[in-house]
Amino acid sequence: MAEQLNVRRILLDVDLSIHGPALLTVAAAIQASAGVAACSITVTDIDTETIGTDVTIEGENIDYEGVVEAIEKTGAVVHSLDHLAAGDRLIESVPRRR
């Protein structure tokens, strides 16, 4: 079913070892994946063994499985898909009020 979606934005929770890969290596692997037009990697936390990051990827018909495979080939680990936008256009999220 994912092949039929026009995936336009994904936000991933990705961990890197403190010893590598470098952010540039992960960004290059993502950028080489099908459908990716841009990516942003933000470091969210650092501990003695890992660097936690939020990875935002935008494009047209992004190959989600290909992106995950490319990231994991660098030695990084994808923990979760935290946001997905698909369709003919992007919809900006509106925070819910409780």
Side-chain angles (χ1 to χ4, degrees):
M1 173 122 181
E3 296 83 44
Q4 298 171 355
L5 286 177
N6 178 10
V7 177
R8 300 177 60 107
R9 179 187 295 146
I10 54 179
L11 172 61
L12 302 172
D13 176 10
V14 177
D15 278 358
L16 293 71
S17 167
I18 201 78
H19 304 292
L23 294 180
L24 290 172
T25 301
V26 176
I30 293 167
Q31 200 60 38
S33 300
V36 174
C39 72
S40 171
I41 302 174
T42 303
V43 174
T44 56
D45 57 272
I46 301 174
D47 65 27
T48 58
E49 295 182 16
T50 60
I51 299 171
T53 65
D54 285 341
V55 178
T56 304
I57 302 164
E58 289 191 353
E60 294 271 335
N61 295 307
I62 297 169
D63 176 7
Y64 172 75
E65 289 84 8
V67 166
V68 171
E69 182 178 329
I71 291 170
E72 291 182 344
K73 279 185 178 177
T74 69
V77 177
V78 176
H79 283 286
S80 61
L81 171 61
D82 295 340
H83 174 83
L84 177 123
D88 292 332
R89 62 186 177 85
L90 290 172
I91 300 172
E92 296 306 320
S93 298
V94 178
R96 290 183 358 182
R97 295 180 189 227
R98 294 183 183 238

